[in-house]
Amino acid sequence: MSEYWLISAPGDKTCQQTWDTLNNVTGKQNNLSENYKFQIPDLKVGTLDQLVGLSDDLGKLDSYVDQVTHKVASYLGEVLEDQRDKLHENLMANNYDLATYLMKFQWDFAKYPIKQSLRNIADIISKQVGQIETDLKTKSTAYNNLKSSLQNMEKKQTGSLLTRNLADLVKKEHFILDSEYLTTLLVVVLKSSINDWNQNYEKLTDMIVPRSSQMITSDADYALFTVTLFKKVTAEFKHHARERKFIVREFTYNEELVTAGKNEITKLVTDKKKQFGPLVRWLKVNFSECFCAWIHVKALRVFVESVLRYGLPVNFQAMLLHPNKKNTKKLRDVLQQLYGHLDSSAQTGTQGSHDSVDIPGLGFGQSDYYPYVYYKINIDMVDTKV
């Protein structure tokens, strides 16, 4: 189960006591969840007004960072293409798998100095993730354009004779070149009409070179023929050919262009291979940056909401619960029994009786409102849609 619950409750006599109480009734006794202490450092509290304003802004920042983290993960899956099944193992946070990073969460003091105000820390995260999103757009556009060009070139090398590039199918000897009067056309003919073509192509117009048609190749539905005629009857020939459902392809043999086309594909394949490694590395590094930033936002939210709810001095225990999937309802009921006294206006029943409580500025206008501070964290970055 990829869902975790990040909660906080006020310290009893000590925060350790709060932890022991929760752990005993949810983990050791009933096997409702696996629990981990979630360490949040002594952050600068600021004023009540600042906390109230920050509460709403952190909710928006939480959604934004979550969204960008999913974008990076999703694009990494796209870039991996047929290796997409390796996506999970490439989604790491600070060199840990996501669950381990979350369970062993430690504040990054170098990136987010706690001497800074809470607002400044939130701004650092916002700018950091905003830059990653901007760079992702630039890098993904460049790589997608390259991939698209290569796919278009490859499509032209395959597919039906009606649409594919003919340059790699024909040879110089198939054409009358450098003639003042004569030209060679390429005509696509339905396989079922080959006899019709062979018997009638010379009669489509005057001035067709007799027995000049030669079949070059065929696919599942069509065959490709040459025919040589005088240049001045080209338009008339095309018109009569169209009437009989023989399709004249626009093609002029040019040895330099044929070679250039082959070189272009080779260049695109090489460029894509060159860009693949650095792009995957960039995505992995910046996925880690985003995910770690996201969990720091969760930590900030728990801190702010805990101070707003439980008051000063700061005295609460943040705890990470990994619910046993079969027992989520029972776990919710046990938490209600433990902490229901903290807020009589919160849910008195079970999880099913969600009342949306909207207290302006406190970020409580959400269906998941409980008497204890609660945030859900879903670490499934592959299947979850944001």
Side-chain angles (χ1 to χ4, degrees):
M1 188 170 165
S2 58
E3 183 176 303
Y4 290 78
W5 296 357
L6 181 55
I7 71 167
S8 85
D12 291 334
K13 288 177 183 170
T14 65
C15 288
Q16 181 62 38
Q17 207 172 328
T18 305
W19 162 256
D20 289 339
T21 304
L22 172 97
N23 208 26
N24 284 333
V25 296
T26 62
K28 292 175 182 174
Q29 288 178 20
N30 299 314
N31 192 28
L32 300 179
S33 59
E34 288 177 29
N35 306 322
Y36 309 89
K37 275 187 182 177
F38 192 83
Q39 305 290 359
I40 300 175
D42 294 328
L43 300 167
K44 277 192 169 181
V45 175
T47 67
L48 182 63
D49 280 355
Q50 288 169 340
L51 289 180
V52 170
L54 191 58
S55 177
D56 276 350
D57 292 343
L58 284 174
K60 290 169 193 164
L61 183 61
D62 187 344
S63 299
Y64 172 65
V65 179
D66 184 18
Q67 201 176 15
V68 176
T69 308
H70 275 84
K71 273 186 194 172
V72 177
S74 172
Y75 192 62
L76 178 55
E78 216 178 289
V79 169
L80 287 172
E81 293 179 27
D82 50 0
Q83 298 176 60
R84 192 184 164 82
D85 57 333
K86 294 183 178 171
L87 178 57
H88 266 297
E89 65 196 63
N90 280 291
L91 296 178
M92 306 283 280
N94 221 8
N95 298 320
Y96 293 105
D97 65 78
L98 304 187
T100 304
Y101 175 81
L102 188 57
M103 292 182 290
K104 295 184 172 181
F105 174 75
Q106 289 184 323
W107 187 270
D108 189 330
F109 294 93
K111 275 201 186 105
Y112 313 116
I114 59 170
K115 287 181 181 177
Q116 300 265 11
S117 69
L118 295 171
R119 170 69 66 187
N120 283 358
I121 294 172
D123 287 345
I124 290 168
I125 293 173
S126 181
K127 282 175 190 164
Q128 173 200 10
V129 174
Q131 189 59 55
I132 291 172
E133 186 184 34
T134 302
D135 292 346
L136 176 64
K137 280 177 189 166
T138 307
K139 288 176 184 293
S140 62
T141 300
Y143 190 74
N144 288 349
N145 287 344
L146 176 61
K147 201 161 77 167
S148 179
S149 299
L150 181 57
Q151 283 168 347
N152 288 338
M153 292 284 281
E154 285 171 339
K155 267 183 199 165
K156 286 176 185 174
Q157 301 301 104
T158 56
S160 161
L161 287 168
L162 284 176
T163 54
R164 67 161 291 167
N165 185 355
L166 302 177
D168 61 327
L169 298 177
V170 297
K171 295 177 182 168
K172 191 174 181 179
E173 53 265 32
H174 291 137
F175 296 85
I176 299 287
L177 300 171
D178 306 321
S179 166
E180 191 178 342
Y181 301 107
L182 295 174
T183 186
T184 302
L185 300 180
L186 294 176
V187 185
V188 177
V189 177
L190 268 168
K191 277 189 165 177
S192 56
S193 303
I194 288 175
N195 285 340
D196 183 19
W197 167 260
N198 285 330
Q199 287 165 20
N200 295 298
Y201 75 89
E202 293 177 16
K203 303 168 193 168
L204 291 176
T205 181
D206 295 334
M207 307 181 87
I208 292 172
V209 177
R211 294 185 297 284
S212 63
S213 182
Q214 176 186 354
M215 187 169 94
I216 296 174
T217 188
S218 63
D219 61 20
D221 303 305
Y222 298 96
L224 182 68
F225 286 89
T226 59
V227 60
T228 302
L229 41 79
F230 278 75
K231 288 178 180 177
K232 64 182 181 181
V233 298
T234 300
E236 188 187 347
F237 177 85
K238 286 180 180 177
H239 173 69
H240 291 307
R242 195 160 47 245
E243 287 178 339
R244 300 191 72 134
K245 296 189 175 153
F246 303 143
I247 296 117
V248 179
R249 290 286 308 270
E250 295 298 327
F251 184 86
T252 305
Y253 186 83
N254 180 320
E255 203 150 13
E256 285 178 7
L257 288 178
V258 169
T259 308
K262 288 174 182 170
N263 290 345
E264 178 67 10
I265 281 208
T266 308
K267 182 180 178 300
L268 287 171
V269 168
T270 307
D271 284 353
K272 189 181 167 199
K273 279 181 184 168
K274 270 187 194 166
Q275 287 191 26
F276 176 81
L279 180 59
V280 166
R281 278 194 294 281
W282 184 90
L283 288 165
K284 285 168 70 171
V285 166
N286 285 280
F287 171 81
S288 173
E289 292 288 312
C290 282
F291 186 86
C292 295
W294 184 47
I295 303 306
H296 280 76
V297 174
K298 294 287 188 191
L300 286 175
R301 293 190 80 185
V302 169
F303 182 85
V304 169
E305 296 302 328
S306 298
V307 174
L308 285 172
R309 293 236 202 148
Y310 311 139
L312 291 169
V314 175
N315 180 30
F316 67 89
Q317 178 65 52
M319 299 164 279
L320 182 74
L321 282 58
H322 190 202
N324 182 328
K325 197 173 184 178
K326 294 173 186 172
N327 292 326
T328 52
K329 184 180 178 303
K330 191 174 177 191
L331 174 60
R332 195 61 86 183
D333 291 344
V334 167
L335 292 176
Q336 180 65 37
Q337 287 161 21
L338 266 181
Y339 305 124
H341 66 279
L342 295 173
D343 186 349
S344 57
S345 69
Q347 290 173 228
T348 52
T350 61
Q351 196 176 358
S353 59
H354 278 226
D355 292 318
S356 182
V357 180
D358 193 5
I359 304 171
L362 291 189
F364 293 165
Q366 51 178 323
S367 57
D368 294 332
Y369 177 67
Y370 299 95
Y372 44 91
V373 172
Y374 161 79
Y375 294 106
K376 183 170 76 174
I377 300 176
N378 191 330
I379 61 168
D380 183 354
M381 292 286 151
V382 181
D383 301 318
T384 308
K385 290 181 180 172
V386 175

